[in-house]
Amino acid sequence: MTIKTLVKVCGVTRLEDALEAANCGVDALGFNFYSLSPRHIDVSEAASISTRLPDNLAKVGLFVNADVDLIEKVL
């Protein structure tokens, strides 16, 4: 039996980093929407980056005690 390890890179804030990670074959990229984090990213910037990534690359959001409105906006 073969087991595949999935790789997710978290805290993406720049398009260049996201594209490089995608080119390296990662399975997912994480966007941090917790405003007190140094890796925080604005919703519009995350959307701009996400639209330039391959469709088969999973995009993951990190939220900490977020309002439902923020989560819905991100989705």
Side-chain angles (χ1 to χ4, degrees):
M1 174 168 83
T2 302
I3 298 174
K4 181 180 190 279
T5 300
L6 300 178
V7 176
K8 177 179 69 140
V9 173
C10 301
V12 175
T13 60
R14 298 180 339 136
L15 175 60
E16 298 84 2
D17 298 334
L19 291 173
E20 186 62 29
N23 288 335
C24 288
V26 301
D27 300 291
L29 291 177
F31 298 94
N32 184 337
F33 297 103
Y34 180 50
S35 63
L36 298 180
S37 170
R39 303 300 299 165
H40 172 261
I41 189 166
D42 181 77
V43 174
S44 61
E45 185 62 26
S48 176
I49 292 171
S50 291
T51 60
R52 293 175 171 88
L53 297 174
D55 290 335
N56 65 331
L57 184 66
K59 290 85 174 177
V60 179
L62 170 78
F63 302 90
V64 177
N65 299 324
D67 291 333
V68 172
D69 292 340
L70 172 62
I71 297 170
E72 289 176 346
K73 184 176 180 182
V74 170
L75 294 175

